[in-house]
Amino acid sequence: MLSFLKSLNVLDIISLPGGSSVPVSVFKDIFKNVPEIPTYENFMEIDNEKKGYKLFFEQCREQGIIN
């Protein structure tokens, strides 16, 4: 997960689509069970389209940050 966060080039806050944001500490806690090199599917298994991160992960996939 740390490599994913480094790819985002964020320190404390992750900016999400729609103008919302999440502290990195909260994001790391929610997605603590993803592999070190996570995929879109890894994140979506946890998000399950209920936590509101789908658009964010789709953008990351389109930008080549995750597969």
Side-chain angles (χ1 to χ4, degrees):
M1 163 104 68
L2 292 177
S3 60
F4 169 75
L5 293 172
K6 286 180 184 178
S7 296
L8 293 176
N9 198 27
V10 296
L11 299 175
D12 297 321
I13 301 290
I14 298 172
S15 296
L16 302 171
S20 60
S21 61
V22 62
V24 168
S25 60
V26 172
F27 184 90
K28 286 169 71 174
D29 187 52
I30 293 169
F31 296 101
K32 64 186 171 202
N33 292 325
V34 299
E36 177 58 32
I37 302 174
T39 65
Y40 173 83
E41 288 78 16
N42 296 143
F43 283 118
M44 291 310 297
E45 285 174 7
I46 295 170
D47 180 81
N48 202 23
E49 294 191 42
K50 294 180 182 172
K51 297 187 185 330
Y53 290 96
K54 183 178 180 179
L55 290 176
F56 172 69
F57 293 129
E58 286 176 352
Q59 287 179 346
C60 290
R61 185 170 59 177
E62 289 170 5
Q63 295 172 7
I65 296 171
I66 57 175
N67 293 323

